[in-house]
Amino acid sequence: MQSVPVLYIGNKNYSSWSLRAWLGLRVAGVEFEEKLVPLRTEEWAAKAPVFSPSAKVPAFFDGSKTIWEALGILEYIADQQPDTMLWPLDIDVRAIARAVSLEMHGGFGSLRSSMPMNCRKSLPGLGRNPGVDKDINRIGEIFKMCRTGYGQGGDFLFGHFSIADAMYAPVVSRFKTYGVTLDPIGNAYMETMLALPEMQEWYKAAAEEEWVIAEEEVK
C-alpha cells in the first residue's frame, strides 16, 4: 500500500515558503500528510537537516525521494499530475506565469525583509523602509497585467488557480498585515486570495499557534 506523501513545513504564522507549497498542494487537491516543525527550536535544529537537504522548509517526501523548495515541489506536482492545472495550458501564457513566479522567487528583497509574514498581526503603515514602495508598485503592476491580460475565465492571476497564485500568496498576506492597498484590480485579486477556504484554514491555524519568534516580530 502506497504511503501518503509528507509535506514538512514551519510555523504557519511566519513561514511564507511553507504557505506557498501547502496552499498550492491543497488547492490542487493533492493528498499529503502535514508535519509542522517549529522554526528556530531544538526540534528544528535536530530534524531539519534530516527531512530536507537544504535544512529548510518546505520539503515534500513522496515515499521514494524528497523535493525541496516550494517552486520545485509545485513544478514536480504540475508535471506528475497535469490534471491539477497548476500551470496554464497555453504554452505562451504558461511562460508568463513562470516568469512572474520566478520574479517572486528571486526578488522583492526589500519588502520581504521589512514586512515579514505575520498572519496574527495588523500593522498598518509599518515596514515602509527604503525600497519597499518600489517592490509594492512592481507587484501591483504584475497583478494588473496578469488579471487584465490573462485572467479571463476566473478570479486568479491566470484565471484558474495556478502556481503563480501560490507564489504570491505570502505577499497578499503581508499586504493584509501591513495595510497595503493597490488599485481596484489588485485589491479585488487580494480579496479573492484571502477568501480562499484554504487560506482561511491557514490563518485559523496560525492564530492558534503559541510560538513567537521575536526577531520576526515588527513592532
Side-chain angles (χ1 to χ4, degrees), residues 134-160:
K134 181 180 179 181
D135 285 351
I136 291 171
N137 291 338
R138 174 57 188 152
I139 291 167
E141 290 173 357
I142 290 171
F143 289 175
K144 186 173 183 178
M145 175 196 70
C146 293
R147 288 293 304 134
T148 58
Y150 309 100
Q152 298 80 6
D155 296 325
F156 298 98
L157 292 178
F158 294 88
H160 186 274

Side-chain angles (χ1 to χ4, degrees), residues 10-196:
N11 312 46
K12 289 185 175 178
N13 189 55
Y14 302 110
S15 185
S16 58
W17 289 103
S18 296
L19 171 58
R20 291 180 170 102
W22 185 95
L23 183 68
L25 296 177
R26 284 295 308 276
V27 176
V30 176
E31 185 180 4
F32 64 90
E33 178 186 356
E34 171 190 315
K35 289 193 177 181
L36 191 155
V37 181
L39 300 169
R40 304 185 193 183
T41 61
E42 291 184 2
E43 181 183 2
W44 172 265
K47 291 182 177 179
V50 177
F51 66 70
S52 172
S54 64
K56 296 178 181 179
V57 283
F60 182 81
F61 179 67
D62 70 356
S64 63
K65 61 186 170 300
T66 298
I67 312 297
W68 64 102
E69 286 284 348
L71 188 54
I73 292 166
L74 297 177
E75 285 268 23
Y76 171 66
I77 295 299
D79 288 340
Q80 185 192 55
Q81 302 179 40
D83 58 319
T84 57
M85 294 179 62
L86 278 171
W87 284 131
L89 295 177
D90 183 278
I91 190 169
D92 294 326
V93 178
R94 195 183 318 152
I96 301 300
R98 278 198 165 106
V100 298
S101 296
L102 287 165
E103 185 173 352
M104 179 71 256
H105 190 279
F108 308 115
S110 295
L111 185 144
R112 287 176 174 176
S113 61
S114 298
M115 295 181 169
M117 193 173 89
N118 192 322
C119 298
R120 293 195 294 252
K121 290 290 183 68
S122 178
L123 304 166
L126 295 188
R128 293 288 185 128
N129 297 323
V132 172
D133 282 346
K134 181 180 179 181
D135 285 351
I136 291 171
N137 291 338
R138 174 57 188 152
I139 291 167
E141 290 173 357
I142 290 171
F143 289 175
K144 186 173 183 178
M145 175 196 70
C146 293
R147 288 293 304 134
T148 58
Y150 309 100
Q152 298 80 6
D155 296 325
F156 298 98
L157 292 178
F158 294 88
H160 186 274
F161 182 92
S162 73
I163 290 173
D165 299 294
M167 291 300 293
Y168 281 89
V171 167
V172 172
S173 175
R174 286 173 162 97
F175 286 0
K176 178 179 185 295
T177 297
Y178 298 95
V180 176
T181 59
L182 303 174
D183 61 26
I185 292 172
N187 290 339
Y189 169 67
M190 291 195 292
E191 290 175 5
T192 293
M193 288 294 292
L194 292 168
L196 271 173

